[in-house]
Amino acid sequence: MAQPPAETSVPSAAPKVAGNDADVIVVGAGPAGSTAATYLARAGLDVLLLEKSTFPRPKVCGDGFTPRGMKQLIDVGIDCSERNGWLHNRGLRVLGGGVSLELDWPDLANFPDFGAVRPRQDFDEMLARHAEKAGARLHEETSVTEAMTDERTGRVVGVKGHVGRGKDKREVTFRAPLTLACDGVSARVALSLGMAKNDSRPMGVAVRRYYTSSRTHDDYLESHLELWDRTEPKSPKLLPGYGWIFGMGDGTSNVGLGILSTSRAYGSTDYRALLKSWLDGTPEEWGYRDENAVGTVGGAALPMGFNRTPHYRPGLLLVGDAGGMVNPFNGEGIAYAMESASIAAACSIQSLARSGSAAEHALRNYPIAMRQALGSYYRIGNLFSKAIGNPTVMRLATRHGLPRKTLMAFLLKLLANLHDPKDGDVSDRLIAAMTRLTPSVK
């Protein structure tokens, strides 16, 4: 893995000016980038938010939010009420081994007691416009290709890229004392500096499609721990991975499946064909057939368990998927993208208010804060992903775990990272002890 160059002092925040210079450059206007830009702009900093696409834009996602994600949205100031287009849900329905179990979201001090669904088609734009209202300068159709570094110190001092498309495309540079790489799984900024991902950490791949369905309204997100191909009813086949069905409340369902890199099927499977095989075996009245499909099948990679580090090198912070922030237990990414963005923004705000070595100390605190927040939990998750990559382990866990509701309620808290670390119940204290005693992933 590439080593960061020697540290140097951070230039102080400059007076606000229009143009291609700013206090902070945020690359990517997904959940991580827009969240960071909002917090930074609210602190009075001049923020350039650079987005390669134009809004609205589609994004491959399950569109489901756990209470952990809802907390981040509420914290950043998004109206998450149902009157504002959010479809709330009560919990998670888990199916496997012939058992269907409905688990309500836990009642906790740290998190709301509801999840929700919201299409990424308008969710990402909502967050980006929220950042604009806070004062961030959003540049769409601005594709960043690489980081710029100071030749003497090696410190990141901005980015290069191009604006526009086709014959109107032109090269452009942007400069700032700090750059936040929120450019997703592609991680172009990090790769331009030789910051490769760690292949020993888990990756996931997910595919999803929308279908017109009578199951569009559901009080629960639905997770299928066993995927069966029942196109030949007399000889059903167990397929690799796990599936989801999320009613969108608009006449459609978001239906998809995921596979972990720890599975032998990873990388050698036609995921779109796998999705069709599973759905062709579901009850026809659910509507998950080609003739009811809305749009095409989309796929995306899920970088998990801090699979790209270091999260800070002088002048650059890796945030969200660019730093491998997806939860290895359940593939949830948005909550952790936003959480890492809030931590990155806080460190950046502190740094730009200081000078000299004190400014650098604030930035060096970012990876430390991320390890404190998620490092031990992600180490356990990385081990978990390896264990369930074995289909025998997964079958045994499903067969013997699902009938035990108390055990499954505990696992819901663990897998969704929903617990009160202080003054919680027995399951909360057990999860807190597990993470406290487990060494942090680095």
Side-chain angles (χ1 to χ4, degrees), residues 61-388:
C61 184
D63 298 335
F65 295 81
T66 70
R68 193 174 190 94
M70 301 313 295
K71 178 187 184 302
Q72 293 299 322
L73 288 161
I74 293 166
D75 283 348
V76 82
I78 296 294
D79 178 1
C80 296
S81 65
E82 293 196 287
R83 66 177 177 274
N84 193 38
W86 293 85
L87 182 65
H88 290 186
N89 54 64
R90 293 175 49 187
L92 181 70
R93 181 184 302 113
V94 186
L95 292 89
V99 176
S100 175
L101 184 64
E102 290 182 347
L103 300 165
D104 287 351
W105 300 121
D107 184 6
L108 300 168
N110 283 347
F111 302 98
D113 61 351
F114 62 91
V117 293
R118 183 89 187 206
R120 288 292 296 272
Q121 177 78 16
D122 86 323
F123 172 75
D124 284 21
E125 181 172 18
M126 179 192 304
L127 280 184
R129 302 305 177 203
H130 195 63
E132 277 192 302
K133 290 177 182 177
R137 293 189 282 141
L138 173 63
H139 288 209
E140 298 177 60
E141 265 191 17
T142 303
S143 185
V144 171
T145 55
E146 61 181 303
M148 296 191 301
T149 57
D150 183 289
E151 291 183 0
R152 183 178 58 85
T153 65
R155 186 180 192 88
V156 173
V157 294
V159 295
K160 295 180 181 179
H162 55 260
V163 174
R165 297 176 182 170
K167 64 180 181 180
D168 296 326
K169 186 166 67 174
R170 58 183 176 83
E171 294 185 356
V172 66
T173 61
F174 300 91
R175 292 183 176 273
L178 289 178
T179 298
L180 273 58
C182 307
D183 47 352
V185 66
S186 66
R188 286 189 178 184
V189 175
L191 288 174
S192 74
L193 297 168
M195 301 170 72
K197 66 182 176 67
N198 184 341
D199 289 329
S200 69
R201 307 273 165 83
M203 282 283 291
V205 64
V207 293
R208 68 97 178 97
R209 197 175 196 182
Y210 295 98
Y211 294 84
T212 301
S213 173
S214 60
R215 303 192 69 202
T216 187
H217 292 282
D218 198 334
D219 286 336
Y220 293 86
L221 301 177
E222 187 166 288
S223 179
H224 291 244
L225 302 185
E226 293 179 331
L227 304 182
W228 289 96
D229 177 0
R230 301 184 189 275
T231 51
E232 295 183 19
K234 293 184 178 179
S235 55
K237 298 177 183 177
L238 184 61
L239 304 169
Y242 66 93
W244 71 79
I245 298 174
F246 299 164
M248 300 302 297
D250 61 357
T252 68
S253 295
N254 179 318
V255 186
L257 60 83
I259 296 178
L260 287 166
S261 59
T262 52
S263 167
R264 288 194 300 267
Y266 183 83
S268 60
T269 299
D270 183 338
Y271 303 113
R272 288 165 173 78
L274 188 65
L275 179 65
K276 180 175 172 53
S277 296
W278 169 43
L279 295 180
D280 281 349
T282 60
E284 193 165 350
E285 60 268 23
W286 291 4
Y288 305 138
R289 301 293 189 269
D290 286 349
E291 59 268 24
N292 300 319
V294 180
T296 59
V297 179
L302 306 175
M304 299 174 166
F306 290 175
N307 81 335
R308 195 183 306 277
T309 55
H311 289 144
Y312 173 68
R313 56 166 289 167
L316 178 72
L317 292 78
L318 304 187
V319 187
D321 285 8
M325 304 292 184
V326 175
N327 184 344
F329 279 106
N330 66 358
E332 183 178 11
I334 293 175
Y336 300 94
M338 296 182 71
E339 188 171 342
S340 62
S342 68
I343 294 172
C347 293
S348 300
I349 291 164
Q350 284 294 321
S351 175
L352 290 170
R354 307 176 187 182
S355 60
S357 61
E360 191 63 32
H361 287 156
L363 295 173
R364 286 208 311 263
N365 189 50
Y366 172 59
I368 296 170
M370 288 307 307
R371 289 197 296 271
Q372 289 174 338
L374 297 170
S376 297
Y377 177 76
Y378 275 10
R379 182 179 289 276
I380 300 170
N382 289 346
L383 295 172
F384 172 84
S385 71
K386 290 180 181 178
I388 65 170

